[in-house]
Amino acid sequence: MSGPLRRQGQDAYDGIRLWVDHANRPLRLVALDDASSASRARENVARLLTEERVDLLLGPYGSGSTLAVAPLAAAHGKILWNHGGAADEITEAGSAHVVSVLSPASHYLRDLPRVVRHRTDAQRATVLYAGRGTFAASIRRGVEVGARAAGFKTVRAIAFDPPLRDTKTLLATACADNPNLLVVAGRFEDDVAIIRERRMLETVETIACVAAGTDAFHQELGVLAEGVIGPSQWEPHLHERPSIGPPSAWFRSEFRRAFQRDPGYVAAQAYTLGIIIGECIRRADGLEDRELLAAARGLDTTSLYGRFRLDPSSMRQVGHEILLVEWRDGRKHPLAPIGVTLTGSRPT
């Protein structure tokens, strides 16, 4: 609720609160602020497990904090219900005790190079990524894999230390090889700072950054956001007939009513985690972690967030799919995978 990830943390918290308010059983929510700190997150989880003795443990927002608390939850035999940590290492850190609704970070922009090659004859890609932590490194690896598969001749990765202080020097280095594709994976503020220097990127055909998947990106940048591509875990109108839980239209309406703003994908994935928990409780007929874990392993369903299915051996989320979106005329436009038409989609 404070620190560098406070924006996303607030959205996640509100998504969870909405689920609690509408759950079909009485719930008491205990929420602790980790101040975007992994060490504070560990302290919070220790308190929740030993003092509060919670029945359900929902993880923090942020891959670093989620990585820090996953082993602690596993040591207590407790499921870490994960809505906010996308780094690929999280499943490994928590062994079989992490249940994630969101796709791993390496999938965020993995298909982007193929989409770009379909549009242009791009040959060179550069990835600017935050050198600390694991989330941005997972993004980088996904882009590198996708670029090689798409036939890019060169893929250059440049790490920077967040918070970004010398944006112009970094961009001068990034543009030295005249990349056709530039990908940025930092904190929200880092991504925004780089796109603010859009004039330095005039020769780059395609620009993408992680922050561009959120509405706040355009709110911060306005016209500078035009044409930038980002990854989104959820967009309204794409999943209006879910197998469990309400449709996106209901969620958007109730979220607006409760919090006086539109929900983004961070809020949607946190709310959806509650829907998944509720379904697992129904199938397990109780709150025993072992039974809930078995229910989650065997669950293959759809919600307003899309498909949920875990690989039963690795516990990685393999059902949900990332959507690429592009800012045009002040709106996010979903980009259909090559050869696929998005039915029922429209700009949001």
Side-chain angles (χ1 to χ4, degrees):
M1 302 301 295
S2 59
L5 299 177
R6 62 189 178 278
R7 184 193 305 264
Q8 299 95 323
Q10 181 69 57
D11 283 350
Y13 177 50
D14 290 344
I16 292 167
R17 285 201 293 165
L18 191 67
W19 166 61
V20 168
D21 289 345
H22 290 275
N24 59 3
R25 65 184 66 229
L27 297 174
R28 182 174 69 92
L29 178 62
V30 182
L32 304 177
D33 179 17
D34 64 23
S36 305
S37 162
S39 60
R40 178 77 68 83
R42 278 187 62 86
E43 294 172 5
N44 288 349
V45 166
R47 173 181 162 184
L48 291 169
L49 291 173
T50 61
E51 296 180 26
E52 299 288 347
R53 301 183 67 83
V54 296
D55 296 300
L56 302 165
L57 179 65
L58 279 66
Y61 185 85
S63 289
S65 292
T66 306
L67 271 168
V69 305
L72 186 57
H76 283 76
K78 205 73 181 167
I79 297 172
L80 182 68
W81 297 95
N82 174 33
H83 63 88
D88 290 45
E89 291 84 354
I90 287 171
T91 302
E92 298 151 15
S95 184
H97 284 80
V98 178
V99 174
S100 302
V101 293
L102 68 175
S103 296
S106 62
H107 291 204
Y108 274 42
L109 293 169
R110 185 182 59 184
D111 289 339
L112 174 66
R114 189 163 62 100
V115 171
V116 171
R117 284 280 288 175
H118 186 70
R119 286 178 161 190
T120 70
D121 189 31
Q123 302 287 329
R124 301 175 301 280
T126 295
V127 183
L128 301 177
Y129 71 102
R132 297 177 192 167
T134 58
F135 173 76
S138 295
I139 298 283
R140 184 209 75 216
R141 289 195 297 271
V143 173
E144 289 173 339
V145 169
R148 294 190 186 102
F152 276 69
K153 291 183 178 178
T154 61
V155 186
R156 185 184 182 199
I158 303 173
F160 63 85
D161 290 329
L164 187 56
R165 302 191 186 281
D166 190 353
T167 308
K168 291 184 178 180
T169 298
L170 178 66
L171 287 181
T173 302
C175 294
D177 293 339
N178 295 316
N180 309 114
L181 169 64
L182 178 69
V183 176
V184 184
R187 302 183 313 169
F188 179 86
E189 290 79 7
D190 299 326
D191 289 12
V192 167
I194 288 173
I195 303 303
R196 285 195 193 283
E197 303 295 337
R198 194 74 184 269
R199 290 182 181 178
M200 296 185 66
L201 303 175
E202 290 179 350
T203 61
V204 181
E205 295 172 348
T206 306
I207 302 169
C209 63
V210 174
T214 67
D215 291 339
F217 181 76
H218 190 275
Q219 292 166 8
E220 288 283 336
L221 290 167
V223 68
L224 293 176
E226 290 293 303
V228 180
I229 296 173
S232 178
Q233 296 269 5
W234 168 82
E235 289 296 318
H237 310 299
L238 292 183
H239 303 288
E240 290 294 5
R241 295 183 179 178
S243 299
I244 60 173
S248 291
W250 180 94
F251 170 66
R252 293 184 76 198
S253 175
E254 284 299 301
F255 193 93
R256 282 195 199 116
R257 181 193 60 78
F259 306 114
Q260 290 75 57
R261 71 182 191 281
D262 286 330
Y265 74 73
V266 171
Q269 65 198 22
Y271 176 83
T272 297
L273 180 64
I275 297 299
I276 296 299
I277 291 173
E279 179 65 13
C280 290
I281 291 174
R282 187 187 70 80
R283 293 184 177 216
D285 194 25
L287 294 170
E288 171 62 41
D289 281 86
R290 185 179 301 175
E291 300 298 325
L292 290 175
L293 199 57
R297 267 203 187 93
L299 187 59
D300 188 350
T301 190
T302 59
S303 71
L304 63 88
Y305 191 65
R307 189 180 180 189
F308 177 95
R309 185 171 73 87
L310 301 173
D311 181 291
S313 57
S314 69
M315 292 295 285
R316 287 170 65 90
Q317 176 57 243
V318 294
H320 185 259
E321 295 182 356
I322 292 289
L323 183 69
L324 294 178
V325 294
E326 183 177 23
W327 284 98
R328 297 197 304 267
D329 301 321
R331 296 180 180 273
K332 280 187 289 182
H333 291 251
L335 299 180
I338 296 171
V340 175
T341 300
L342 294 177
T343 59
S345 67
R346 61 179 183 268
T348 62

